[in-house]
Amino acid sequence: MDPVILTSERLLLRPFKAEDAETVHRACQDPDIQRWTVIPSPYGRADAETFVGQLVPDGWRTGTSLAFAVLPREGGPLHGAISVFQRSQPGTWEIGYWTAKEQRGRGFTAEAVSVLAHWSLSTLGVERLEWRAEVGNTGSRAVAEKAGFRVEGTLRSNLLNKGVRRDAWVGALLPSDLGLPTEHAYLPTEYKPS
């Protein structure tokens, strides 16, 4: 897949470049990013170089994992990272993100999630975009909900993070949530308590 650039009112989302390694390395020294994401901990310069120089280009080449740097539209420091990647179920992708510590609390990540989610559902042909986060990651959950994801529940032992299985919240955004068409019809089940 050819890399794309996405924009919003305040943000530019572009594929990471090799020269982003230093800023990725610096941002990922934040203990919260290391705690709540599956990045290596400790996070070394070689980890950042592998991410921007190998993992990101490979993901775009295969079209299975599309990672973007989140930057101010008018130029400036890295605000975070965001990606969508295929799940095993056809038509289902997952979104993941982290935000640089100094950029939190300003709505940048929810804005980036909204832009990437809309593009994924309207252009990639995604029919279910999932968000997952370890139970307790209230910052990630707040971003997902602000971007329109509906939290669907808790999955026991769903995430493997640094050698430990952890419970995860799961939510989803569907094309119909945004008024977008899909290839396959969706027939929701009416829940009737017994």
Side-chain angles (χ1 to χ4, degrees):
M1 172 172 219
D2 291 330
V4 299
I5 294 173
L6 305 173
T7 58
S8 67
E9 182 180 334
R10 300 183 295 168
L11 301 174
L12 171 76
L13 281 64
R14 64 150 172 82
F16 280 96
K17 302 174 184 177
E19 52 266 32
D20 294 322
E22 179 55 37
T23 56
V24 168
H25 175 253
R26 198 172 331 127
C28 289
Q29 298 312 298
D30 176 26
D32 287 334
I33 291 174
Q34 291 187 27
R35 165 63 182 92
W36 295 112
T37 70
V38 295
I39 67 166
S41 181
Y43 192 83
R45 175 64 190 242
D47 296 313
E49 290 170 355
T50 298
F51 174 68
V52 300
Q54 181 181 348
L55 297 176
V56 171
D58 287 352
W60 279 97
R61 184 181 45 73
T62 61
T64 58
S65 181
L66 314 176
F68 296 83
V70 179
L71 302 157
R73 191 170 178 164
E74 305 304 323
L78 179 71
H79 284 8
I82 189 167
S83 65
V84 290
F85 50 94
Q86 286 182 327
R87 305 280 303 164
S88 57
Q89 175 89 15
T92 300
W93 287 56
E94 185 173 332
I95 194 165
Y97 44 85
W98 56 256
T99 309
K101 185 175 186 173
E102 54 279 351
Q103 304 302 333
R104 292 183 192 140
R106 296 160 55 187
F108 294 129
T109 306
E111 187 174 327
V113 169
S114 294
V115 168
L116 185 54
H118 189 276
W119 178 79
S120 299
L121 296 168
S122 64
T123 304
L124 272 183
V126 173
E127 294 190 322
R128 177 179 167 85
L129 185 59
E130 293 185 343
W131 156 84
R132 293 169 195 253
E134 184 179 331
V135 170
N137 189 347
T138 56
S140 181
R141 182 173 177 154
V143 165
E145 290 178 324
K146 186 173 181 182
F149 283 75
R150 185 177 303 170
V151 177
E152 298 172 333
T154 301
L155 302 173
R156 296 181 312 140
S157 188
N158 183 250
L159 292 177
L160 181 62
N161 190 356
K162 296 161 188 71
V164 178
R165 296 209 61 88
R166 301 173 186 272
D167 295 343
W169 288 319
V170 63
L173 190 63
L174 307 177
S176 58
D177 296 335
L178 302 179
L180 298 170
T182 60
E183 178 183 350
H184 301 99
Y186 167 49
L187 181 60
T189 303
E190 277 191 47
Y191 175 72
K192 296 178 183 176
S194 44

